[in-house]
Amino acid sequence: MILTILAATPLVGAVLVAALGGGPAPYLRPKVVALGVSIITLALSLVMLAQFDLTGPGGYQLTIDHEWISAFGAHYALGVNGIGVTLILLTTILTPLVVLAAWGDRLPDPGRTSSYLAWMLAVEGLAIGAFASMDAFLFYVMFEATLIPLYFLIGSFGGSNRSYAAVKFLIYNLVGGLLMLAAIVGLYVVSAQAGEASYLLSDLQALDMGTTTERLLFCGFMAAFAIKAPLWPLHTWLPDAAAQATPSTSVLMVSVVDKIGTFGMLIWCLGVFPNAADWASPVIITLAVVSIVYGALLAIGQDDIRRLVAFTSVSHFGFIVLGIFAFTTTSMAGSTLYMFNHGLSTAALFLVTGVMIARRGSASIGDFGGVQKIAPIMSGVLLVAGLSSLSLPGLAPFVSEFMVLAGTFTRSIPAATIATSGIVLAALYILIMYQRTMTGPQQPGTEGVTDLTTREITALAPALVLIIGLGFFPQPLLNVINPAIDTVASRVGVGDPAPRTPTTIDVTVPAEGGH
């Protein structure tokens, strides 16, 4: 029952926080309760980790299965493998940090603080449910339900153009959800024809589908995940949403909810449609490489800090998708680790730049300059978060990015070579942004930029500690991930290619006296 309790705790907490109401007097109560609920959820996720057998064969553990809607074979089925455990841990680690950081968010209506925090807890609970779902219909419900709190977080508490950004976010993701729903209906038909209708992952993996049917159903799932991830050219909702959302909302959206897309590619696309995934992999790898370069180039040209961070995520998600569809155990393990590490580095970037924007009253890079002279701690945190985003050796994202590229090189040298250019471009967009905002002479208007407070440091410190710690010692997390990746790789049926070695040239030395 640990997974049910884990998903239900933040949802119950959301109802409790919302019931506390707003108003000037009780401001503190919703904040404390929301933080307390998120910490309890984090503790429960550690209990889940303690119960998870790291020496197992890589299948699903902590499972529960009850018939839910018998009319069409839907089950309330939860379970986790190493991939799900990793992303649930990411979710429960980030949520307390986000809630604590949100205490200082400037909302259009401060009297609605309780609703703001309640929607955050709802996102956490629904995301955990998605990462633990073992039934396709249940997964779809959780997948779509995450849109509701995010829509209100963007549309009710974002910037001046929040309504447009929220509607665009909703339309894009609803279209993807409808395509996945059509594919789920197709799975129902196929499973019913095979015997008994079922949405259980284990039953779907055993289905014998025709080639055309499998490819069509794969495209329905993949389209939804490519929008959620997001993958070029379906990414355009993200920069607008990130530019209008509060920093805390952006963290939940990009670091947590968008990972449901890449998680779905690994578990549902590769797990249920392995042959179709292999068939589509050349196109998807091409789109991933375009995402890497395109996102990085657009990030370089941004003046709005929030849009810059959003475009860096488009580039990073390209690396994650590339590793998944390179179909090597090294690249897929690197992609899963990248999901976790990207969540940490992007969270740190969104939160520290959010503080900068709130202090300065502007998101324009041109309105900053020389801030390190008056806010050295903020400057240092931005530097570490930025260097982690560009995958500096010694910081966590470097390990995962290296694994993705190393694994991809054994499968496709051209794709890996072009993707490597993203590392160079990442150095440009991060260092240019840092130079223009933090170094040089102090710009007029930055006098009111004060350094990080104790609360803000507390919210950022755990992410920075993990970024540095996992940069030097990622093996504990890889021990959780690797068995599950081996299982997924065996399901796809594409083995790791043999290492490429230079062609040996046979040079025969003529015998003495020969010609």
Side-chain angles (χ1 to χ4, degrees), residues 143 146-147 150-151 154 161-177 222-245 249-262 265 291 294 298 306-307 309-311 313-314 317 342 350:
F143 181 88
T146 57
L147 302 181
L150 279 176
Y151 172 78
I154 299 169
N161 205 22
R162 57 185 179 270
S163 296
Y164 168 78
V167 170
K168 187 175 182 179
F169 158 80
L170 190 63
I171 290 175
Y172 265 75
N173 284 275
L174 280 178
V175 169
M222 186 63 201
F225 298 147
I227 292 172
K228 180 77 77 177
L231 188 67
W232 182 90
L234 305 173
H235 67 284
T236 59
W237 62 268
L238 178 59
D240 291 328
Q244 295 302 316
T249 300
S250 294
V251 172
L252 290 174
M253 179 175 62
V254 178
S255 295
V256 175
V257 174
D258 286 358
K259 298 301 188 305
I260 299 175
T262 46
M265 293 177 194
S291 290
Y294 177 85
L298 263 66
R306 298 164 301 186
R307 293 181 67 88
V309 178
F311 277 113
S313 290
V314 172
F317 273 108
H342 170 264
F350 270 123

Side-chain angles (χ1 to χ4, degrees), residues 257-276:
V257 174
D258 286 358
K259 298 301 188 305
I260 299 175
T262 46
F263 168 82
M265 293 177 194
L266 272 170
I267 301 301
W268 295 99
C269 287
L270 272 60
V272 180
F273 314 107
N275 296 323

Side-chain angles (χ1 to χ4, degrees), residues 63-141:
T63 56
I64 182 173
D65 181 7
H66 296 291
E67 191 173 64
W68 179 25
I69 307 174
S70 58
F72 50 86
H75 289 243
Y76 176 76
L78 300 180
V80 285
N81 60 7
I83 302 167
V85 167
T86 300
L87 294 176
I88 289 174
L89 284 175
L90 173 66
T91 303
T92 58
I93 288 169
L94 290 181
T95 304
L97 310 185
V98 164
V99 170
L100 185 58
W103 284 22
D105 285 349
R106 298 177 181 178
L107 306 179
D109 181 3
R112 299 183 62 193
T113 301
S114 59
S115 299
Y116 180 55
L117 297 172
W119 286 125
M120 288 185 182
L121 293 177
V123 171
E124 179 184 25
L126 294 170
I128 291 172
F131 293 135
S133 294
M134 294 178 59
D135 179 276
F137 189 80
L138 178 62
F139 174 79
Y140 170 76
V141 171

Side-chain angles (χ1 to χ4, degrees), residues 42-77:
L42 172 59
L44 289 171
S45 71
L46 297 178
V47 173
M48 173 201 67
L49 180 61
Q51 295 180 1
F52 189 81
D53 183 9
L54 297 178
T55 63
Y60 282 83
Q61 302 180 35
L62 309 177
T63 56
I64 182 173
D65 181 7
H66 296 291
E67 191 173 64
W68 179 25
I69 307 174
S70 58
F72 50 86
H75 289 243
Y76 176 76

